[in-house]
Amino acid sequence: MERFIITIGRQFGSGGREIGQKLAKRFSVEYFDKELLQLAAEQSGWSKECFEKADEKSPGSLMHALAVGLSMTGTAFQYGGGFTDENIFKFQSDTIQKLASDRSCIIVGRCADYILRNHPNCFNIFIHAPLNKRIPRVAQQEHLSERAAMELIKKTDKSRANYYNYYSGKVWGDSASYHLSIDASLAGVDRTVDFIESFVLTNLDIKK
């Protein structure tokens, strides 16, 4: 099969992660979500903790992390040596581009659709669902009350939107930014996976 990438943007609690994992199994390709942070850390020589603190957070989160005393390879570091949100994003972008250059894979979040905008076989998907469908899902998964789940959803979505909008110059969740924007609550996870799989296979065939 021709090499391809599927990027998945997702509202928190919409099932995007589960859909991505199931798509990876369907296509027998690698799945990258938080795994990207470890790879970026290894390639940059910086601590994984540094990438975790800035992961899909509003710009400025790294500055806060530095202020509370993060460590790099076990030793304290101070602001001024190039440890900025932009450099974190650059290392992560380089990691995503390297992955896309040598394998088919599924990449969740982290502006992957924007970073790979010139990739010939990159399919950009956005997974969403109504808030009233996401609240019980998050409450169950995170062992929270529905009120706490709602607050976590709103906070996480706001952070992801600010991150995406800042680095891409586009609007997170805007259907114009993706090839497919899907309400996963309508058909459920498995049938959404079926639909995306069919869409990708059809378009790969068209491009031959």
Side-chain angles (χ1 to χ4, degrees), residues 74-120:
T75 59
F77 65 79
Q78 308 241 337
Y79 177 73
F83 297 98
T84 65
D85 289 298
E86 285 72 18
N87 283 343
I88 287 286
F89 181 77
K90 181 182 184 303
F91 276 118
Q92 198 161 269
S93 298
D94 290 345
T95 299
I96 289 171
Q97 290 172 337
K98 185 176 186 302
L99 288 173
S101 71
D102 60 16
R103 73 193 77 185
S104 294
C105 60
I106 313 290
I107 302 176
V108 174
R110 288 136 194 116
C111 293
D113 62 297
Y114 172 73
I115 292 164
L116 300 177
R117 60 194 179 278
N118 296 320
H119 192 287

Side-chain angles (χ1 to χ4, degrees), residues 21 48 84 155 192 199:
Q21 291 170 335
K48 180 184 176 183
T84 65
K155 179 181 178 181
T192 299
F199 173 82

